Amino acid sequence: MTNDNVCILLPALNEEATIGQVIRDFRLEGFDNVLVIDGNSKDRTREIAEAEGARVVVQTGKGKGQAIKQAFELIDEEYIVMADGDGTNLAKDIHAVLNPVLEGKADHVMGNRLVDYEKGAFTRLNLFGNKIINKMFGLAYGVWLEDILTGYRAFNKKAIKSFELKKLGFEIESEITIESVKKDLRILEVPTTYLARHTEGATKLNPLKDGFRIGSTIYKMARLHNPMFYFGIIGGIFIVSGLIVGTYVVIQWFQGVTRIPMSILTTLLIIAGFQMFVFGMLSDLVVTLHRENMRMLRVLSEDKKK
């Protein structure tokens, strides 16, 4: 195999300050097949990328997620490395990210930025949000990873063709990771260096708004993978609400005031909470059986191909 079978995918939006150097750095590592998927940049991103010899495609919609979906449909190479066009990833780390896929040890490799990052690469809010999201992902999907939001990833063709991606924004990284877990792909994390953004390149990520969307994506997609987590949270909210209302009712009763409507509300909230837990358990059983059936079908399909 030569590096011609590897496509370097660089999603970019207004990255004229960094895109040229990023492409040059990957070419210095021996990778000339570079695809820049451009999100309708208003600066010279496309012109610079083309001048450096990259193939440039302008995405048809908006958002990083839509750009990556479109790029995955265009790529025919056996191996894909996705990196950010803002210069925050080191091109020399490509060997650590790509080699496990080339060696058949993994279908999807993720570069863990939290192991080694430059001062100023993350704000305290970013670091806190990353930790919360990673813990939430582990609880929901039972796979404990250190950095599910990394943009530095390597895949084989089997992986990207199995993804059913729907998210259009920055939730795409978490959705790709979730899809990898759902499709039983072999996932591996490797340490990579994360650099601070170029002074002329403004971040497109809104920590609060996009953080909420990412967390919401992890939670909503859990209903088809871990219903107990999904319905358990709803049930927990009902029960806690019922206990709070019930505590107020009891305090009022000791003071000689009877709150009949609120007593009924307390009962309904607690019963609804327990019903959610039961529903979650039953759904979890159905999902587990479905997952086992799908795994068996994949095994039979692979055996037939052999």
Side-chain angles (χ1 to χ4, degrees):
M1 193 210 75
T2 67
N3 288 341
D4 291 336
N5 291 326
V6 180
C7 177
I8 308 299
L9 170 60
L10 302 176
L13 174 61
N14 298 325
E15 304 290 3
E16 67 176 6
T18 55
I19 193 67
Q21 188 61 54
V22 171
I23 295 170
R24 287 193 294 272
D25 287 345
F26 276 110
R27 295 185 72 178
L28 285 173
E29 296 299 324
F31 298 89
D32 296 323
N33 185 359
V34 180
L35 170 62
V36 173
I37 184 84
D38 180 74
N40 292 279
S41 294
K42 304 301 181 184
D43 60 11
R44 298 179 57 250
T45 298
R46 293 192 294 277
E47 291 85 344
I48 294 172
E50 288 173 346
E52 293 295 337
R55 176 189 176 196
V56 178
V57 174
V58 180
Q59 71 178 97
T60 55
K62 293 182 179 180
K64 185 176 182 180
Q66 195 279 332
I68 291 173
K69 286 170 56 180
Q70 183 177 340
F72 281 174
E73 292 172 358
L74 296 173
I75 293 172
D76 288 323
E77 284 76 13
E78 290 298 320
Y79 305 98
I80 302 92
V81 175
M82 183 173 74
D84 293 324
D86 57 10
T88 53
N89 302 132
L90 281 178
K92 67 179 183 180
D93 285 338
I94 188 173
H95 306 289
V97 175
L98 180 60
N99 283 347
V101 178
L102 297 181
E103 295 167 1
K105 296 178 181 178
D107 302 306
H108 176 189
V109 178
M110 304 162 58
N112 183 359
R113 304 166 297 168
L114 303 179
V115 174
D116 179 23
Y117 54 88
E118 192 176 58
K119 183 179 180 180
F122 291 106
T123 64
R124 290 184 179 180
L125 181 60
N126 290 146
L127 283 174
F128 178 75
N130 265 277
K131 290 179 180 178
I132 294 297
I133 287 171
N134 287 318
K135 297 297 182 186
M136 181 180 177
F137 179 88
L139 288 172
Y141 298 94
V143 178
W144 295 91
L145 300 168
E146 296 295 326
D147 187 14
I148 70 164
L149 303 182
T150 178
Y152 209 168
R153 300 167 184 257
F155 314 90
N156 54 28
K157 192 173 182 179
K158 165 193 169 185
I160 68 165
K161 296 307 179 185
S162 71
F163 294 151
E164 299 174 61
L165 304 175
K166 298 179 177 63
K167 300 300 176 181
L168 302 180
F170 284 103
E171 313 96 298
I172 190 67
E173 279 96 354
S174 56
E175 187 180 24
I176 287 173
T177 310
I178 292 168
E179 280 290 299
S180 296
V181 173
K182 288 171 61 178
K183 300 297 168 57
D184 287 327
L185 300 180
R186 295 168 299 167
I187 306 172
L188 182 67
E189 276 189 308
V190 297
T192 57
T193 300
Y194 191 64
L195 306 177
R197 286 186 63 91
H198 193 280
T199 53
E200 296 179 15
T203 181
K204 290 87 178 174
L205 179 71
N206 184 311
L208 294 177
K209 183 174 72 173
D210 290 309
F212 176 80
R213 287 178 177 174
I214 291 166
S216 177
T217 296
I218 293 172
Y219 175 68
K220 289 178 180 178
M221 292 185 70
R223 63 187 172 187
L224 298 177
H225 184 82
N226 185 358
M228 193 61 217
F229 174 82
Y230 180 84
F231 291 106
I233 289 179
I234 298 175
I237 292 172
F238 276 126
I239 290 174
V240 170
S241 300
L243 291 175
I244 291 172
V245 176
T247 300
Y248 176 76
V249 169
V250 171
I251 292 173
Q252 289 284 288
W253 183 76
F254 277 117
Q255 295 175 351
V257 180
T258 302
R259 302 284 186 180
I260 295 177
M262 295 189 75
S263 299
I264 296 173
L265 176 62
T266 298
T267 304
L268 291 174
L269 286 171
I270 292 176
I271 290 175
F274 279 110
Q275 285 180 330
M276 284 294 171
F277 277 110
V278 172
F279 189 63
M281 292 172 63
L282 294 174
S283 299
D284 193 63
L285 177 61
V286 173
V287 168
T288 300
L289 291 173
H290 175 72
R291 191 178 299 132
E292 287 301 317
N293 288 335
M294 293 302 295
R295 185 177 289 116
M296 290 178 64
L297 287 173
R298 279 195 293 269
V299 171
L300 290 173
S301 177
E302 289 175 2
D303 288 344
K304 285 183 179 179
K305 290 179 180 178
K306 293 178 181 179

